[in-house]
Amino acid sequence: MKRALITGITGQDGAYLAEFLLKKGYGVYGTYRRLSTPNFWRLQYLDIFDKVSLIPADLVDSSSLVEAVKTSDPDEVYHLAAQSFVGASFEQPVGAGMVTGLGVTRMLEAIRQVNPEIRFYQAATSEQFGGSSDMPMREEDAFKPASPYAAAKLYGYWLTRIYRGGYKIFACNGILFNHESPLRGLEFVTRKISNGIAKIALGIEKELRLGNLEAKRDWGYAPEYVESMWLMLQQREPDDYVIATGEAHSIKEFAEKAFEIAELDWRDHVKTDKKFFRPLDVNYLQGDSAKAEKKLGWKPKVKFEKLVEIMVNEDMQRWARWQKGERFPWDAPNYPSEDKILSRTLTLERA
Ligand code: NAP
Ligand code: G4F
């Protein structure tokens, strides 16, 4: 039986990848952070909590990563753990470097020292392209990161290539464009919209406050994107791949479509609020995954409209079930109103 170690198994992609690898017959190990309150709701939601083995580790602590590699003795490591919210990286820029950037080096070093035969996947990102004007974006295009998060990811991308070239480690960068799902964190704009709409439709809330509505993103469906990670590690040679749908849509289009599904007019409920604007934003991202299609045989099936439908319908159903008294693992009831989060207000008022 093949074994895989997933860092960040409690996150959106970690949970879907764990489900995917279990179906492939892998023994699945995952690192999680020791928090004062457990955070396993996604694994429970997918009903795989009891099927994976968990190892406590933190990206700032090399010894815990070495231990995780030794304990799981994996054939493949999927390095998904990171502080993944771009907005927060402006508030904690040093942490972005220490966790999202240097965490990659710590993981690669653990592999180099314990077993350099392990295959390594790095969760690189379309944010690395940032303000690039190459459209649609391909593997060979220039990177122009526009946030501490993107700069840290670009560092991780290069470390991955350096360990591939220098130590012959089978290390790949998956340059994934935005991918969403009902397991997406509530801070990210798509889930913020689908969750906000569900609450408005059921009369729990009246309005939804958003930032830059004009930015465009290439949004795909997370369960399909995790398959591309696995495919990259099954090839004869390690390489880097763009994974995207090839379509770009604005936040406004997402909101418009999402409110339409709930039979509401977005203009009656959406307010713009400067606290959700970033000091620097990436205005346009659209990827070209022709290389992945040709070499990996990977192609997205779920496109924009279907994705919006999946997310809005699931959040509407969840809130309806909750209102009827049903209890199940789920993040939304405990999420604070973003009005309570002061640090972001302070940061953005200065910008
Ligand atoms: P996510 O839901 O935010 O999950 C991030 C994971 O990293 C969580 O398990 C989190 O643990 C863990 N983590 C955070 N800080 C850590 C630390 N100091 N030590 C150990 N673990 C830590 O992110 P995602 O959407 O699944 O994305 C997975 C990866 O792909 C990330 O690296 C992200 O930057 C990258 N990426 C995502 C997208 C996208 O559109 N989703 C696109 C391109 C690249 P907790 O649960 O304890 O917080
Ligand atoms: O949903 P977002 O926070 O995602 P963003 O910044 O594109 O980052 C995500 O995708 C990256 C891949 O390109 C990943 F690497 C990263 O880890 C993460 O998963 O914001 C999308 C856009 C931005 O332009 C933002 O300014 O939506 C805009 N936006 C407008 N109003 C908002 C809001 N974003 C958030 N989070 N909240 C708002 O109220």
Side-chain angles (χ1 to χ4, degrees), residues 28 57 79 84-85 112 121 197 229 244 248-249 262 277 300 309 322 337:
V28 176
H79 182 52
S84 76
F85 185 45
R112 189 183 71 80
Y121 172 87
I197 288 174
M229 302 172 183
H249 297 273
F277 282 76
E309 232 176 84
W322 189 262
S337 154

Side-chain angles (χ1 to χ4, degrees), residues 10-13 33 39 58-59 80 82 84 149 153 176 179:
T10 55
Q12 171 191 257
D13 291 5
R33 284 193 289 178
N39 175 28
D58 197 298
L59 292 183
L80 309 186
S84 76
Y149 165 81
K153 280 286 181 182
L176 271 54
H179 44 282

Side-chain angles (χ1 to χ4, degrees), residues 120-138:
F120 177 79
Y121 172 87
Q122 162 60 8
T125 167
S126 48
E127 282 290 305
Q128 292 166 200
F129 291 115
S132 164
S133 51
D134 299 312
M135 292 299 159
M137 288 128 168
R138 301 186 185 89

Side-chain angles (χ1 to χ4, degrees), residues 7-15 31-35 39-40 42 57-61 65 79-85 99-100 121-127 149 153 174-180 183-185 188 219 222 225 229:
T7 67
I9 198 167
T10 55
Q12 171 191 257
D13 291 5
T31 70
Y32 73 100
R33 284 193 289 178
R34 193 260 151 204
L35 302 171
N39 175 28
F40 298 116
R42 292 184 176 93
D58 197 298
L59 292 183
V60 299
D61 185 331
L65 300 176
H79 182 52
L80 309 186
Q83 192 300 100
S84 76
F85 185 45
V99 173
T100 304
Y121 172 87
Q122 162 60 8
T125 167
S126 48
E127 282 290 305
Y149 165 81
K153 280 286 181 182
I175 310 168
L176 271 54
F177 282 61
N178 298 52
H179 44 282
E180 318 291 315
L183 298 189
R184 187 59 144 148
F188 299 93
W219 281 299
Y225 280 42
M229 302 172 183

Side-chain angles (χ1 to χ4, degrees), residues 153-293:
K153 280 286 181 182
L154 188 52
Y155 167 82
Y157 165 92
W158 276 111
L159 261 290
T160 301
R161 294 184 62 134
I162 288 164
Y163 273 62
R164 179 162 86 210
Y167 302 115
K168 307 295 171 229
I169 289 177
F170 192 109
C172 303
N173 283 293
I175 310 168
L176 271 54
F177 282 61
N178 298 52
H179 44 282
E180 318 291 315
S181 75
L183 298 189
R184 187 59 144 148
L186 282 158
E187 281 172 312
F188 299 93
V189 76
T190 54
R191 180 86 197 292
K192 180 173 168 181
I193 293 172
S194 62
N195 182 58
I197 288 174
K199 291 173 92 173
I200 291 169
L202 293 170
I204 303 166
E205 266 172 20
K206 286 199 168 51
E207 63 174 35
L208 178 62
R209 303 185 86 80
L210 297 173
N212 181 7
L213 299 180
E214 305 306 326
K216 291 194 170 181
R217 289 290 181 275
D218 181 330
W219 281 299
Y221 186 42
E224 293 183 354
Y225 280 42
V226 298
E227 181 179 8
S228 75
M229 302 172 183
W230 175 76
L231 284 167
M232 287 177 214
L233 297 198
Q234 311 315 308
Q235 304 307 303
R236 287 172 65 88
E237 299 295 332
D239 207 343
D240 306 324
Y241 298 89
V242 160
I243 299 295
T245 69
E247 289 181 16
H249 297 273
S250 67
I251 315 303
K252 195 194 283 172
E253 282 173 76
F254 192 104
E256 211 167 347
K257 178 74 200 159
F259 273 92
E260 196 183 296
I261 291 164
E263 296 177 359
L264 295 164
D265 187 336
W266 74 281
R267 283 165 298 203
D268 297 337
H269 303 281
V270 173
K271 303 272 180 306
T272 49
D273 185 332
K274 71 174 180 177
K275 95 178 202 182
F276 297 114
F277 282 76
R278 294 174 184 166
L280 253 189
D281 206 349
V282 171
N283 289 322
Y284 195 98
L285 287 177
Q286 182 188 6
D288 177 351
S289 53
K291 177 176 171 183
E293 185 174 347

